[in-house]
Amino acid sequence: MKLKYINDINPATGKIFAKIKCSTKKEIDDAVLKAKTAQKKWSSLTLAQRSKMLNACANDFIKQKEKIGKIITDEMGKLYKSAVGETFSTAYGIRETIEQAKTALKTEKFYEENLITELHRTPIGVCAVITPWNFPVSMPESLLSPALLAGNTVVFKPSEMVPLTGKAIYDIFKKHLPHGVINLVQGADEVGDYLIHNNIDMIAFVGSQAVGRKIMKTAGDKLKRIVLELGGKDPMIVLDDADLQKAANYAVNGSLRNTGQVCVSVERIYVHQKAADKFTTLVANGVKNFKYGNGYDKEVQMGPLVSKKQRANVISQVKDAVKNGAKLITGGKMPRNTKGFFMEPALVTNLNGKHRLMREETFGPVVAIQKVKSADEAVDLANNSPFGLGATVWTKNKKKGLEIAKKIESGMIGVNQGIGGVSGTPWVGIKQSGFGFIGSIEGIRQFTVPRKISYKK
Ligand code: NAD
């Protein structure tokens, strides 16, 4: 491997605060071998036995929420209170998956005259779990819990931006699970690539579309199972009869929370021309008052971007838009008095489909607004994208909102609210935002293969 160490940089200061050794090829081979060896015994345990161990992990996430919260804020800049909240709610994620697994993994019996078929949901084997940095605890959990409960063993590779958060997650699972059931490898793309070419049976991945594509190619060669949760370019449609204050609040928070580094951020807004001026004024007020700074500061609403590179990409999209006729209403600059990777939250208007800001995933603190003449035009523009993760529609006419929602090509759509729905329903991207899905009974089953055994009465 070319990269021997990860420099763990605090994005609020720009300073390296830890150096983490990358796994060697031999260490990755060993991790896969350990997972292979442990899998038979792990899968022979009952679901109740596995669930008990995972429940103990959930308790530890609650106990360690401040400790892990601090690691997250230091590594990727998230607000400390959000980092603690994410760690705390991870425990609920584990417990919810434990409950759903009871239905998802139950053996079903089918009858036809004197014939009986048992349908067993069997584990796939060794699962490589590869995750991003933006929700550094909840994303790994969303793949680790279903993989492990279903009876698979795991080789886990956290993002190179959050290696210590990854290690903290691994330490909790390792403490409560038998030897070899979970294994950790550290590193960046080379380590991930070496891992997916190894003797594993499944790849569960959350990350960008670009890497998802590479993973699918590699998996194709050996017909390995995959679950991919990828990037988005979520549209928000605001009609002229919407509650504009409510929509503006959602636009600001949805575009800027976690410094815009959310797969289901509001990435592009299509507002009806009749409502555009008032809506833009309300959004501008929100953006101008949105406080950024160090994630430990209680007043602050967003921290720095995760890296210099990430910030440069966001700023280049804003500059490209302005150069090509868009209007920067506020923000978009780098503060000079700090070495941290901060950026003023930005509002850009007069946009159109040619701007990168309306086509590429931005993943930064930018509210991007385009005027439209009708709801039909908004839907056409929303659907004119390879992405299909989330979307929202804002109108006081609920019936019309629901009709529009059905026409939008996204996996998760909210009408006058965010994309989160009732717990237990899937987390799903369609088109090129995902392949397979997680977070539901069907989601858990994707970490298994059905096997049928038939016999006569
Ligand atoms: P990324 O794709 O750059 O990296 C994700 C992981 O893949 C990291 O662990 C990385 O080291 C690893 N990796 C990189 N190259 C690899 C390769 N060739 N083979 C194997 N592994 C490789 O993504 P990121 O920057 O960490 O995260 C941001 C992206 O994740 C955004 O696109 C965002 O939308 C997406 N995301 C999606 C969801 C969702 O639920 N759909 C949730 C969170 C983040």
Side-chain angles (χ1 to χ4, degrees), residues 130-135 139 157-161 187-194 196 205-212 214-215 228-232 261-264 310 361 363 387 389 412 427 429 433-434 438:
I130 303 178
T131 50
W133 48 264
N134 63 331
F135 286 90
M139 285 301 119
K157 193 201 87 61
S159 163
E160 64 276 22
M161 310 306 289
D189 50 348
E190 276 179 302
V191 170
D193 187 61
Y194 187 78
I196 61 173
F205 173 78
V206 181
S208 64
Q209 205 185 65
V211 176
K214 286 184 193 167
I215 288 179
L228 309 175
E229 289 287 351
L230 309 177
Q261 304 165 125
V262 181
C263 56
V264 288
Q310 185 69 18
E361 189 175 32
F363 228 55
F387 295 101
L389 197 54
M412 299 177 283
W427 182 263
S433 283
I438 51 173

Side-chain angles (χ1 to χ4, degrees), residues 75-353:
E75 282 193 322
M76 56 76 62
K78 192 183 287 264
L79 300 186
Y80 175 66
K81 63 174 185 281
S82 308
V84 173
E86 182 183 331
T87 312
F88 183 77
S89 54
T90 291
Y92 288 88
I94 296 176
R95 288 183 187 144
E96 187 180 33
T97 313
I98 289 173
E99 274 312 302
Q100 290 172 345
K102 290 179 190 162
T103 308
L105 304 176
K106 199 170 173 196
T107 298
E108 290 173 89
K109 273 192 180 174
F110 297 82
Y111 301 90
E112 196 174 79
E113 295 172 0
N114 69 340
L115 183 64
I116 300 173
T117 293
E118 291 178 5
L119 187 61
H120 296 258
R121 308 273 176 188
T122 46
I124 293 169
V126 175
C127 180
V129 169
I130 303 178
T131 50
W133 48 264
N134 63 331
F135 286 90
V137 186
S138 64
M139 285 301 119
E141 182 283 318
S142 70
L143 304 179
L144 290 171
S145 297
L148 292 166
L149 283 165
N152 304 286
T153 51
V154 163
V155 180
F156 168 42
K157 193 201 87 61
S159 163
E160 64 276 22
M161 310 306 289
V162 286
L164 294 178
T165 309
K167 171 81 166 55
I169 297 170
Y170 165 73
D171 285 343
I172 289 181
F173 280 97
K174 186 175 162 245
K175 182 175 147 199
H176 297 287
L177 304 182
H179 180 74
V181 169
I182 185 163
N183 304 274
L184 179 73
V185 295
Q186 295 275 23
D189 50 348
E190 276 179 302
V191 170
D193 187 61
Y194 187 78
L195 173 61
I196 61 173
H197 282 89
N198 217 297
N199 188 20
I200 49 152
D201 307 291
M202 176 180 187
I203 306 157
F205 173 78
V206 181
S208 64
Q209 205 185 65
V211 176
R213 206 168 274 134
K214 286 184 193 167
I215 288 179
M216 198 158 176
K217 269 191 197 150
T218 305
D221 262 359
K222 297 213 165 136
L223 294 175
K224 287 178 185 171
R225 258 73 180 172
I226 48 171
V227 172
L228 309 175
E229 289 287 351
L230 309 177
K233 187 73 191 166
D234 288 10
M236 170 178 183
I237 296 179
V238 184
L239 300 187
D240 51 348
D241 63 350
D243 178 335
L244 293 184
Q245 184 62 65
K246 203 172 155 197
N249 292 346
Y250 183 79
V252 172
N253 194 48
S255 304
L256 305 182
R257 82 181 169 107
N258 209 30
T259 323
Q261 304 165 125
V262 181
C263 56
V264 288
S265 272
V266 174
E267 286 256 334
R268 49 196 173 119
I269 299 173
Y270 300 112
V271 58
H272 194 284
Q273 58 186 8
K274 283 191 203 154
D277 287 349
K278 189 170 173 206
F279 175 74
T280 305
T281 305
L282 293 168
V283 170
N285 285 340
V287 176
K288 282 176 193 159
N289 290 319
F290 209 85
K291 290 201 174 63
Y292 69 93
N294 192 304
Y296 288 106
D297 183 339
K298 288 200 177 100
E299 303 294 303
V300 156
Q301 291 164 285
M302 67 174 217
L305 285 113
V306 73
S307 65
K308 212 181 229 180
K309 191 173 155 213
Q310 185 69 18
R311 180 176 64 178
N313 182 44
V314 177
I315 287 182
S316 91
Q317 285 195 21
V318 172
K319 282 191 176 157
D320 163 82
V322 173
K323 202 174 120 200
N324 291 293
K327 200 167 159 193
L328 180 64
I329 305 286
T330 182
K333 300 190 181 59
M334 290 188 261
R336 291 184 185 282
N337 56 348
T338 168
K339 291 212 163 71
F341 312 136
F342 295 99
M343 174 185 161
E344 296 169 353
L347 168 60
V348 186
T349 63
N350 286 16
L351 285 157
N352 64 53

